[in-house]
Amino acid sequence: QLPELENARRTAQEKLDAQQREQAGLESRLATLKQVQDQVESNAQIREWLIKHRLESLPRLWQQVRVEVGWETAFEAVLREKLHAVEVSQPELLQRMLEDAPPAKLSVYASATATQDLALEGRRPLASLLAIHDEAVRGVMQDWLHGIYAVERAPGPGDRQALPPGVILVSRQGHQFSRCAVSFHAPDPGDTGILARQREIEDLSAQLREREETLRQARTEQHVVEAALGGHNQRLTTLRQEAAALKQRLHEQQMESLRLSQGLERFQERSRQIQLELDEISRQQAAERASQTAAEVSLARHQ
C-alpha cells in the first residue's frame, strides 16, 4: 500500500503546485493591471484637489461600468475625460467646487433617474452596450450617451445625411459620424485600454475567487493524503519493530533448537555406543556361558 499512497501524495502535490502556480500567475497579472490602472489617476494636481474636497476615495466612473467586449475604444472616444468623473450629489459641495475649480479637466455627476432613450430605427444605442448596477451611474451615462448609436462599419454619405441633427454614430474604432462631420479617434495614452483593463481586472478577481475554492480543495486533498501516508508510515514503523522483535525471537528459538539438536545427536551417539557395548557384553556373556557349560561337562566327566 505504501507505493500507492506515495504515488497519490505525489499526484496531489503536483496538482497543488500547478494550482498555486496558476494562482500566482493570476495574482501577478491582476497586480500589474491594478498598478497600471492606478497610474491612470496619477495626476498629482487633481489628486491634491480631490483630497482637499474629500473626494479622493470615491470610485471613478470607469470603475463602475462594464462594456460589451470590443466596444471599449468607442466608449473611450465618446466619454474621454468623463471616464474619470466622480459622483457629487450635495449641491453645497458642487457650489464650493465652482468657486474653487479643479486645476485640470474633471467631470462630476449627480444621481438622476434613467429614462427610456429615443430609438432610432435600425440603430443600437451605445448605452445598450453597458452593464450598470448603480442607478446614479445609469442616469448620467444615459445623459452623456444620449443620441449616440453604435455601428459596426462606417456609414456612407447618404446614411450620414439622413441622420437627425445631434445624432452621432460611433464605430468600434472610436470614429464618430454625424450628419455633417466625421471625428477620427486617436488613442489617448493615459486612457487607452482603461475599460478593457477594468473588465479584465473584474474577470481576474472573479477567477481568483473561484480558484480559491479549487486551491482549498487541492490543499485539503493533499493534507488528507499526507495524513494517510503519515499514519501508514507510523503503522509501518510499528510493524517493522514487531518484525525485528519476531526475527530476534526466531533467532533465539533457532539457537535453542540447534542446541537441542546437538544434544540429541550427542544422546543418540552415546546411545549407539552403549548399545554396541551391550551387544559386546551379550556376546561375551554367551561365550562365558558356553565356556561354563563346557567346563561343567568336563568336570562331570572327570568326576
Side-chain angles (χ1 to χ4, degrees), residues 39-280:
Q39 292 174 355
V40 172
E41 304 293 341
S42 60
N43 188 316
Q45 291 180 331
I46 285 291
R47 184 183 299 108
E48 291 176 1
W49 187 87
L50 290 172
I51 293 174
K52 177 181 178 181
H53 291 277
R54 300 181 180 179
L55 301 174
E56 73 280 1
S57 61
L58 294 178
R60 303 300 188 267
L61 184 66
W62 58 264
Q63 296 174 310
Q64 302 184 77
V65 298
R66 189 177 180 89
V67 178
E68 187 174 311
V69 178
W71 289 96
E72 297 88 351
T73 302
F75 279 90
E76 291 168 2
V78 171
L79 295 173
R80 303 182 69 84
E81 71 276 359
K82 293 178 181 177
L83 286 169
H84 303 272
V86 294
E87 182 181 359
V88 175
S89 299
Q90 301 89 344
E92 62 278 6
L93 177 57
L94 181 58
Q95 183 59 39
R96 289 200 303 272
M97 295 168 76
L98 291 172
E99 295 171 358
D100 178 22
K105 290 182 179 181
L106 178 68
S107 297
V108 297
Y109 62 92
S111 179
T113 304
T115 59
Q116 186 66 32
D117 201 356
L118 295 177
L120 188 62
E121 185 177 356
R123 303 295 183 186
R124 182 167 54 162
L126 188 63
S128 66
L129 304 178
L130 283 174
I132 304 173
H133 301 292
D134 190 329
E135 288 301 320
V137 176
R138 188 184 305 277
V140 71
M141 290 301 288
Q142 188 180 56
D143 183 34
W144 283 343
L145 300 177
H146 176 72
I148 302 177
Y149 298 85
V151 292
E152 292 290 347
R153 55 186 179 84
D159 293 333
R160 294 201 304 270
Q161 292 174 2
L163 292 174
V167 170
I168 296 176
L169 305 181
V170 59
S171 66
R172 288 178 182 266
Q173 296 77 25
H175 306 318
Q176 301 178 51
F177 309 88
S178 65
R179 188 174 62 167
C180 302
V182 176
S183 297
F184 292 97
H185 173 63
D188 184 341
D191 290 339
T192 300
I194 186 173
L195 294 175
R197 285 194 301 271
Q198 183 62 20
R199 185 184 63 252
E200 188 174 359
I201 286 174
E202 294 173 1
D203 291 343
L204 285 175
S205 299
Q207 289 181 41
L208 283 171
R209 287 192 295 271
E210 293 175 359
R211 293 195 175 277
E212 277 294 337
E213 177 61 22
T214 304
L215 189 61
R216 187 189 64 79
Q217 293 176 356
R219 287 196 183 101
T220 300
E221 181 180 344
Q222 196 264 351
H223 290 161
V224 169
V225 174
E226 284 286 356
L229 186 61
H232 193 83
N233 282 328
Q234 185 176 1
R235 175 61 178 156
L236 190 59
T237 300
T238 302
L239 289 174
R240 283 173 175 161
Q241 292 173 349
E242 293 177 357
L246 288 172
K247 285 180 181 179
Q248 179 63 27
R249 184 178 175 186
L250 176 62
H251 177 69
E252 293 172 355
Q253 295 288 350
Q254 288 172 337
M255 294 300 295
E256 179 65 14
S257 176
L258 178 61
R259 186 183 66 78
L260 292 175
S261 296
Q262 291 173 346
L264 179 60
E265 289 177 359
R266 290 193 298 271
F267 171 76
Q268 291 174 341
E269 177 63 25
R270 180 59 180 157
S271 296
R272 285 194 297 272
Q273 292 175 357
I274 293 173
Q275 188 61 46
L276 290 174
E277 291 175 358
L278 289 175
D279 293 342
E280 179 63 26

